[in-house]
Structures are given as structure tokens and as C-alpha cells.
Amino acid sequence: MVTGANGQLGREVISQFCKNYDVIGFGKEELNITNEDEVRIVINKVNPNVIIHTAAYTSVDGCETNIRLAYEVNTIGAANVAQAAGDHAARMFYISTDYVFNGEKELPYLEYDMTDPLSIYGISKLAGENVVRRLLPNSTIIRTSWLYGHGGKNFVNTMLQFAKDNKKVTVVDDQIGSPTYTADLVKVLLELIDKPGGIYHVSNTGSCSWFQFAKTIYKEAGSDPELVSPCTTAEYGSQAKRPKYSVLAQSELERVNIVPPRKWEEALKAYLGKESAND
């Protein structure tokens, strides 16, 4: 069973998992995860073995002004799903974020490093992690970063449109992370089905700033990368604080003999159709 089935990650989960599993997906129109009774009724009916919980309120700045909604979806919604999963002895996968860290470390974050989120989004997602782990000790927490995929609003699609229009853009150059293609994340999810629960970091390897990422997207789209200018986070003026460095070490994947995803540059080319998605 997949929650958030109409989002870019939910769609990719269904697309890949349906080749080997019976999959049923629920978008927010079919399942309101903030309604405990509704969640229990739906999960009773489906009786899943595994629940992949991709539903989330992911607008980082939006969470700052819609605090109640952030907690209702990212924390209480996760708790409702976990509680119902426990009633059916179902395995639960909770998709979390690199924004649970404060970005002060300057080295890739290990799975059990201390968390210290800077934003309501990060705080609400960490609270979701904690409640899922408390209710379901065998659950799997997946922290990922800078996610993009087909059929969703994301940074890559926005920059592609700007590049197509040869638009000048200004992008922050003092936040470092790892862009992650949903197809590569879901490949690892498939491998984790048979692995022990716990916290896993999963992202494409390598790192860059949002500015470097944007320049690469412009270049791959055949537009002039010089149309992309750098600025600081302070100059850009976002509502939510973001970690300045949130690269994720993937030591737990390696511990269970799973090869981390390919480099972010290769994944971007695959997403843009410039090479096979299986390369």
C-alpha cells in the first residue's frame, strides 16, 4: 500500500513495485491521513503487508505559515498510519528528509548523528520519524534529499522551464546537498524490503549547491549556464531556515550490502532522457 500515490515519489513507487508486487495506492483525495478513523478503515480493508508512506506536506516555506497543517500531515498523519500498520503487523516505510539536520557539521551526516532541524518542516518530519519508530520498532525510516521526479513540481522542472525560456535566474550558492532522482530512490526501496528496519540515508551520490545544480540543468537543457547567477541564502530571503550543508552519508546501506545510488550528474541525465535510466 502506498500513501501519497499521486505525488512524484508515490507514482514512482507504484510504477516500480507493481512489476513484482500487488500494489494499491491512495492519493489525498482517496485517503485523508490526518483522519484516524478513515486511515484505520482503509487499512483494515486493504490489509497490506507493507505500507510505503510517501504522503507529506513538503512545502518548506509553506510549513512556516501553515504550522498546524504541517504537524497534522507530517506527524499526526504518520502516527495514524503507523498505528493502523501495527494493528495488521504491516511493515512501514516512512520517507523523511535531510532537513532534520542543522547543517553545521560540514561532513556527510551519518544515520545516527544528532538531529536538530531548523524549520517547521524539518521539526514536523522528525516528529513523524520518532512516532513511527516508537509505534513500530521494526519500521524503516528513509531520509533523502533534494528530491525530483516525473509528474510533480520540483526544482529541476522549474529550472527546465526557465532554461527553455532563456530566463535569467538567481539561485542560492551557500546550501550544499545531494539532488536525488525518485527512480534511483525507489530502486533502493525495493532492495530494502528484505532488509532489517532502522534508519537509512538514500540519495544520489556527490554534492553541489543549488546554484551549481541549476547551472548544470541549464547546460543539459541546451541553454546558457551563464544566465544563472549566485546569491546567498540571506539575500534570497526564504521564510524557512535551511541547513547550509545536508549531504547524507549512506553507511547503513553499505552495512546491509546495498550499493548507494549513482552520482547526481548521471541521474540528472537519465531523468532528462539523455541516457538509459538503468545505466
Side-chain angles (χ1 to χ4, degrees), residues 146-165:
W146 298 21
L147 207 58
Y148 65 91
H150 300 286
K153 182 183 177 185
N154 57 61
F155 183 81
V156 176
N157 290 348
T158 300
M159 289 300 131
L160 283 173
Q161 188 58 55
F162 289 160
K164 184 180 174 184
D165 298 337

Side-chain angles (χ1 to χ4, degrees), residues 178-214:
S178 302
T180 303
Y181 180 21
T182 53
D184 291 355
L185 172 59
V186 175
K187 283 179 187 174
V188 174
L189 279 177
L190 279 164
E191 292 187 76
L192 282 169
I193 285 287
D194 299 321
K195 301 296 185 182
I199 299 174
Y200 294 89
H201 287 173
V202 185
S203 63
N204 284 111
T205 47
S207 62
C208 60
S209 69
W210 288 110
F211 167 68
Q212 292 166 321
F213 191 25

Side-chain angles (χ1 to χ4, degrees), residues 39-57:
V39 170
R40 190 173 62 251
I41 289 166
V42 167
I43 291 179
N44 277 343
K45 187 175 179 182
V46 175
N47 193 22
N49 302 107
V50 175
I51 299 173
I52 299 179
H53 183 57
T54 76
Y57 181 34

Side-chain angles (χ1 to χ4, degrees), residues 159-175:
M159 289 300 131
L160 283 173
Q161 188 58 55
F162 289 160
K164 184 180 174 184
D165 298 337
N166 289 314
K167 183 176 179 178
K168 289 184 177 181
V169 293
T170 302
V171 184
V172 296
D173 195 25
D174 56 357
Q175 295 172 30

